[in-house]
Amino acid sequence: MNPELHAICQRILDEGRQRFGAMMGIVSHVHDGSYDVMAVSSATGIPMVGDRYPLDSVYCRQVVEQGHSVAITEIDGKPGMSLHPLYDAIPCEFYLSSPILLHDRVWGTLNYTSLDVRDTPFSAEDITYNESRATVIAGLLTLLDTEAE
């Protein structure tokens, strides 16, 4: 990833973590059934940039399949989500993710998670905020990163 783009993603992730009270924020790139961590801000130090996971094993699979944001304040209370394969390994409770769209396809996601249940639902403003940051990342990918294609 272009160093300038990475620095901007880092700022977006740090600001988003603070805004949402998230344990971690990730910019991912999704391709060929894989979910690649491109930038991360995490209280735990994991995951790390360069980590790769099968798309079927991450919560963002739903965002990629549906092509729109997903906002959940308590995964354990959401039918089907607590049965997600990742929930046993990392029982994240709240989750907010928006697609990073390039050329009318999902290039990746901008997402935030935490082990704590979120006391209030994500507002329309929260979702719009995250979607606008995902759009910023998409625009920068187009301008700065030859790997965006």
Side-chain angles (χ1 to χ4, degrees), residues 16 21 44 56-57 63 69 71 73 79 88 102 118 120 125 131 133:
T44 65
D56 286 344
S57 72
V63 175
S69 295
T73 55
D88 283 336
L102 282 181
R118 185 174 163 94
T120 57
E125 183 180 299
E131 289 172 346
R133 297 320 182 264

Side-chain angles (χ1 to χ4, degrees), residues 12 39 47 56 66 84 89 100 112 121-122 125:
I12 288 170
D56 286 344
Q66 296 178 1
H84 192 286
I100 299 170
Y112 297 94
F122 289 103
E125 183 180 299

Side-chain angles (χ1 to χ4, degrees), residues 62-63 66 68-72 81 95-99 122 127:
Q62 183 178 1
V63 175
Q66 296 178 1
H68 62 77
S69 295
V70 172
I72 301 169
M81 289 302 284
Y95 171 76
L96 173 62
S97 183
S98 298
F122 289 103
I127 295 167

Side-chain angles (χ1 to χ4, degrees), residues 2-143:
N2 175 296
E4 184 179 353
L5 175 59
H6 188 266
I8 293 168
C9 287
Q10 216 45 63
R11 275 196 305 274
I12 288 170
L13 290 169
D14 292 342
E15 290 170 6
R17 275 190 58 215
Q18 183 174 8
R19 177 185 175 109
F20 302 123
M23 180 183 80
M24 75 178 69
I26 298 172
V27 171
S28 72
H29 176 45
V30 176
H31 61 98
D32 302 325
S34 293
Y35 172 96
D36 295 347
V37 176
M38 303 301 288
V40 64
S41 175
S42 175
T44 65
I46 56 171
M48 296 175 53
V49 170
D51 285 354
R52 175 177 281 179
Y53 303 94
L55 181 59
D56 286 344
S57 72
V58 297
Y59 295 123
C60 289
R61 178 189 74 214
Q62 183 178 1
V63 175
V64 173
E65 289 173 355
Q66 296 178 1
H68 62 77
S69 295
V70 172
I72 301 169
T73 55
E74 184 178 357
I75 289 176
D76 192 33
K78 185 79 170 172
M81 289 302 284
S82 62
L83 300 176
H84 192 286
L86 187 58
Y87 190 79
D88 283 336
I90 306 171
C92 292
E93 285 301 336
F94 85 62
Y95 171 76
L96 173 62
S97 183
S98 298
I100 299 170
L101 300 170
L102 282 181
H103 312 294
D104 297 323
R105 67 176 174 85
V106 177
W107 179 88
T109 63
L110 170 60
N111 64 85
Y112 297 94
T113 57
S114 187
L115 295 175
D116 298 322
V117 173
R118 185 174 163 94
D119 293 333
T120 57
F122 289 103
S123 67
E125 183 180 299
D126 290 334
I127 295 167
T128 299
Y129 173 90
N130 204 52
E131 289 172 346
S132 71
R133 297 320 182 264
T135 299
V136 166
I137 294 168
L140 291 169
L141 278 165
T142 300
L143 291 173

